[in-house]
Amino acid sequence: MAAHGVKTLIYSSTCATYGEPEKMPITEETPQVPINPYGKAKKMAEDIILDFSKDSNMAVMILRYFNVIGSDPEGRLGEAPRPELREHGRISGACFDAARGIIPGLQIKGTDYKTVDGTCVRDYIDVTDLVDAHVKALEKAKPRKVGIFNVGTGKGSSVKEFVEACKKATGVDIKVDYLERRAGDYAEVYSDPSKIREELNWTAKHTNLHESLETAWRWQKLHRNGYASSPLVSAY
């Protein structure tokens, strides 16, 4: 990137770099102790960027996303993973696949965590808010500076709460199977968004789970084969 004259880098990192912190909510100063390969790989990339930045004029922003959901409200973009990656996607994708009958039901892995209902708690950030965070980060990026920000709502919702919101959004009584825990999952993570609010003037606006899932479900129904079934494509 430096060799080709790139002046600004916005890096997509993740809250998974924190692992399972002892205290909530998570701030940018929370120790990074990732417990799964995804978090470890993202932290390694962050470390490389920070080392590089010591002798670079590049403007850098590192955004640590929490759990992304939703779709473009205007219907232009939605979640459509490649078939071979489908089973490794987000919980929203699995909920929608179950609602559409692509899979027989939803599997919830772990019901004995130390949370309000035994399932994992996550901070779900709407993709529209995430886009806005990128725009704000680009506006504030400065040469020879590195900004690190959590991008989340500041509140957590359990997997069971998420599934109930998805049932309501789709109108389908999704079949749910409860299984043993999955290795590498952490019980509870949610952000403290104070820093990004104060320094980038960003605050999550789309914080209603049901509404975000309803928007995403609308896109799924219109694009049953992903982008291949786009109304623009099918018209020809």
Side-chain angles (χ1 to χ4, degrees):
M1 290 174 68
H4 286 82
V6 173
K7 303 297 184 185
T8 306
L9 168 63
I10 310 295
Y11 180 64
S12 301
S13 193
T14 170
C15 63
T17 64
Y18 296 112
E20 192 160 20
E22 295 181 1
K23 294 193 304 181
M24 288 289 136
I26 293 171
T27 73
E28 288 80 1
E29 302 303 317
T30 297
Q32 290 179 287
V33 189
I35 62 173
N36 57 40
Y38 177 66
K40 290 176 181 178
K42 287 289 191 178
K43 184 180 184 303
M44 192 180 301
E46 282 194 22
D47 291 341
I48 293 169
I49 290 168
L50 292 172
D51 285 343
F52 169 79
S53 297
K54 293 173 183 176
D55 296 307
S56 168
N57 290 323
M58 192 179 291
V60 176
M61 290 291 200
I62 295 173
L63 302 183
R64 294 174 182 157
Y65 307 173
F66 282 67
N67 292 66
V68 186
I69 60 170
S71 290
D72 168 36
E74 296 181 23
R76 295 166 297 183
L77 300 170
E79 186 177 353
R82 298 199 305 272
E84 66 271 22
L85 298 177
R86 203 171 194 112
E87 65 179 275
H88 304 291
R90 300 181 179 88
I91 185 174
S92 56
C95 281
F96 294 148
D97 282 352
R100 290 169 54 187
I102 295 173
I103 57 177
L106 187 66
Q107 295 182 338
I108 294 180
K109 297 180 179 179
T111 58
D112 59 348
Y113 290 96
K114 292 181 179 179
T115 59
V116 63
D117 59 22
T119 62
C120 294
V121 170
R122 298 289 183 266
D123 186 341
Y124 295 101
I125 176 75
D126 192 287
V127 67
T128 304
D129 286 327
L130 186 61
V131 169
D132 186 43
H134 282 74
V135 174
K136 296 284 177 61
L138 278 168
E139 291 173 348
K140 298 288 186 177
K142 296 180 180 179
R144 300 193 65 82
K145 298 287 185 181
V146 178
I148 299 176
F149 299 96
N150 289 336
V151 187
T153 67
K155 68 175 184 178
S157 299
S158 74
V159 170
K160 283 185 177 179
E161 289 172 331
F162 187 96
V163 173
E164 288 307 310
C166 197
K167 287 181 178 181
K168 184 178 178 182
T170 62
V172 178
D173 187 16
I174 298 166
K175 179 178 179 291
V176 180
D177 292 320
Y178 297 97
L179 307 177
E180 297 294 318
R181 291 188 186 191
R182 181 177 63 175
D185 275 339
Y186 24 82
E188 183 176 39
V189 289
Y190 59 93
S191 70
D192 177 349
S194 300
K195 184 181 179 184
I196 192 169
R197 182 177 65 245
E198 293 165 5
E199 297 188 20
L200 300 189
N201 192 31
W202 176 92
T203 302
K205 298 175 182 176
H206 304 271
T207 57
N208 184 297
L209 265 183
H210 172 251
E211 290 177 2
S212 291
L213 290 171
E214 204 169 42
T215 300
W217 177 240
R218 191 181 310 127
W219 191 90
Q220 292 289 325
K221 288 191 294 182
L222 290 172
H223 301 80
R224 293 187 177 275
N225 296 309
Y227 288 101
S229 61
S230 165
L232 291 176
V233 175
S234 60
Y236 295 89

